[in-house]
Amino acid sequence: MRKIASLLALLLAACGPAHAQWQIQNSGTTADLRGIDDVGGGVAWASGTNGTVLRTEDGGYLWQECTIPPGAEHLDFRGIQAFDANTAIVMSSGKGDLSRLYKTTDGCHTWKLVFTNPDKDGFWDAIRISGAKTVLMIGDPLPHKELDRLKVKTYFHFPLYGSADAGDTWMRLDTNNLFALSDSKGNPTEFIFAASNSSLLEIEDHRMIIFAKGGVMPSLGQLEMIDKPNPMLCKSPCAMAGSSRIPLKSGPTAGAFSVAVDDPNSPDPSLVVVGGDYANPNDHAGNSASCFRDTQLLIAGRFDCEASATPPHGFRSAVAYDAASKTWITVGPNGTDISTDDGRNWRALHPDPALHEPPDADRDWNALSLPYVVGPHGRIGKLNPHALQSAPTQEK
């Protein structure tokens, strides 16, 4: 009788609905985590408040609390990118010199300060490894005085930085051509959210840099290479800047927070952008869009973006693509959603009581680097490897 009951339980579990299970891990910290980077082979790095950096080499079974970089005890590490188990760069976000980059080459036993924000009013938002030794970083708009109809006027531009030696040295890549809108009082009304370190991408075989913007006019900013694959190889201006509108909620606390791509090397990539209004986390209006290459208009960097027909169930701070299951996954304070039709329709995923998951396993998340997710108070989750494999296919 006991064998029959056990067999019945197994059959019911096999036939039950698929759920995305975030397996909660022990991080050993209470810091708020916003940076996460999965290197592969069981190696991942995470970062957060109070100079916190974590590392795992065994798939998250044990998270090691790293040595705090010198002078970083009160810094907010919003982004981290790693080359391997020993080499990583962590980015702090803050006004002026509170935005810094530290690098380790010995598995986070020691750190070196490699770059400090040179602009007293600057603020860094996202960092991303883009090649074997190349790294990109972008920040909020900076003022720059330019000639405007014979008058000097202050315009704002997003600063883009790059490194060609694995983060040891950094250079300004843009030539004040990543324009940012401003109001009649001379204040910028476009910005980048440093919520999940996922607002910056390189796509189309490194020929286009994409970044997600919020504020008065949510859009995708882009820098498209004309004759070279990477701006760090340019000896003279070799790029065209552009922008594509995104139908997301606008405002001082709203816009695009995260952008992901299905295939960064494709000449015709699909992008998904998520966000909304972080001040209203349960509002699902204007929080997701699908973007595709515009084949009708000959405008450099142009994407057509359409709002999701069935949006995620609230504000979302991060989105990622799982190539194995062809599934998009997005997270935020009030839950997790997935899409199998390039972000046109989303469905909520909930903890599975049969697996004894915590009832809040799907929520309170900030950032993604699959299979990992991180959140406030030291929360780290790891996606069940079978969770997305049986996700139902949605009509396109």
Side-chain angles (χ1 to χ4, degrees):
M1 192 70 183
R2 184 175 299 172
K3 289 183 178 180
I4 295 176
S6 299
L7 179 60
L8 181 60
L10 287 173
L11 288 173
L12 288 174
C15 298
H19 294 279
Q21 296 97 15
W22 293 116
Q23 300 167 337
I24 307 302
Q25 301 189 318
N26 181 14
S27 69
T29 182
T30 58
D32 291 341
L33 303 177
R34 288 190 182 273
I36 178 69
D37 188 28
D38 175 53
V39 181
V43 176
W45 298 69
S47 65
T49 54
N50 301 320
T52 300
V53 179
L54 307 175
R55 186 185 69 142
T56 182
E57 295 182 276
D58 55 13
Y61 180 77
L62 177 66
W63 285 90
Q64 165 198 358
E65 191 163 2
C66 296
T67 301
I68 296 177
E73 293 82 1
H74 303 294
L75 294 183
D76 187 1
F77 285 141
R78 297 287 185 96
I80 191 164
Q81 291 282 278
F83 290 93
D84 50 45
N86 294 314
T87 308
I89 303 171
V90 65
M91 178 196 75
S92 64
S93 297
K95 186 175 180 180
D97 62 6
L98 295 180
S99 286
R100 305 175 196 171
L101 297 179
Y102 292 88
K103 181 180 177 180
T104 181
T105 57
D106 59 5
C108 76
H109 293 291
T110 62
W111 295 87
K112 178 183 178 182
L113 178 64
V114 292
F115 192 30
T116 300
N117 198 333
D119 300 291
K120 64 181 180 65
D121 295 320
F123 189 99
W124 290 345
D125 297 296
I127 183 171
R128 191 173 188 90
I129 289 177
S130 61
K133 289 188 175 181
T134 55
V135 195
L136 296 171
M137 181 179 64
I138 198 164
D140 273 347
L142 296 173
H144 181 79
K145 290 187 176 180
E146 302 175 19
L147 197 63
D148 176 46
R149 295 183 181 178
L150 304 180
K151 295 181 181 179
V152 174
K153 182 177 179 179
T154 298
Y155 289 90
F156 288 83
H157 306 269
F158 292 94
L160 179 69
Y161 303 91
S163 172
D165 55 9
D168 289 330
T169 59
W170 290 80
M171 66 192 85
R172 180 83 178 261
L173 299 182
D174 67 291
T175 55
N176 286 323
N177 55 353
L178 299 178
F179 182 73
L181 298 176
S182 58
D183 60 22
S184 59
K185 298 180 180 180
N187 299 312
T189 55
E190 282 187 306
F191 35 81
I192 301 172
F193 290 105
S196 60
N197 194 48
S198 57
S199 58
L200 180 64
L201 283 180
E202 251 193 329
I203 63 172
E204 298 183 0
D205 198 21
H206 305 290
R207 290 192 174 275
M208 181 179 290
I209 297 169
I210 291 282
F211 58 101
K213 298 183 287 183
V216 68
M217 188 183 296
S219 62
L220 289 176
Q222 57 257 336
L223 193 66
E224 186 169 19
M225 303 305 110
I226 300 172
D227 57 358
K228 293 183 183 295
N230 195 296
M232 283 169 271
L233 302 177
C234 296
K235 301 299 181 183
S236 61
C238 62
M240 294 179 63
S243 186
S244 301
R245 288 288 305 273
I246 313 173
L248 297 183
K249 179 160 287 191
S250 62
T253 59
F257 281 70
S258 177
V259 58
V261 61
D262 59 350
D263 181 358
N265 299 317
S266 170
D268 188 24
S270 296
L271 305 178
V272 170
V273 188
V274 299
D277 187 350
Y278 75 80
N280 296 284
N282 294 322
D283 185 1
H284 63 264
N287 66 354
S288 173
S290 304
C291 301
F292 306 93
R293 252 318 195 168
D294 187 339
T295 58
Q296 304 299 319
L297 298 176
L298 299 178
I299 302 177
R302 175 76 184 192
F303 280 84
D304 271 341
C305 299
E306 298 179 355
S308 298
T310 308
H313 293 72
F315 160 74
R316 295 292 178 258
S317 62
V319 64
Y321 181 71
D322 180 68
S325 63
K326 298 182 180 180
T327 303
W328 300 83
I329 186 165
T330 185
V331 296
N334 74 349
T336 300
D337 298 85
I338 66 168
S339 171
T340 54
D341 61 358
D342 291 329
R344 295 181 180 90
N345 296 280
W346 297 85
R347 68 180 180 92
L349 298 173
H350 302 291
D352 192 341
L355 298 178
H356 306 289
E357 291 184 309
D360 63 346
D362 62 330
R363 61 191 60 227
D364 294 328
W365 299 120
N366 292 327
L368 280 170
S369 181
L370 293 176
Y372 299 99
V373 63
V374 296
H377 309 300
R379 280 174 64 81
I380 297 182
K382 185 177 181 181
L383 188 66
N384 183 321
H386 306 293
L388 300 181
Q389 292 179 2
S390 58
T393 302
Q394 292 162 325
E395 294 296 328
K396 289 192 175 185

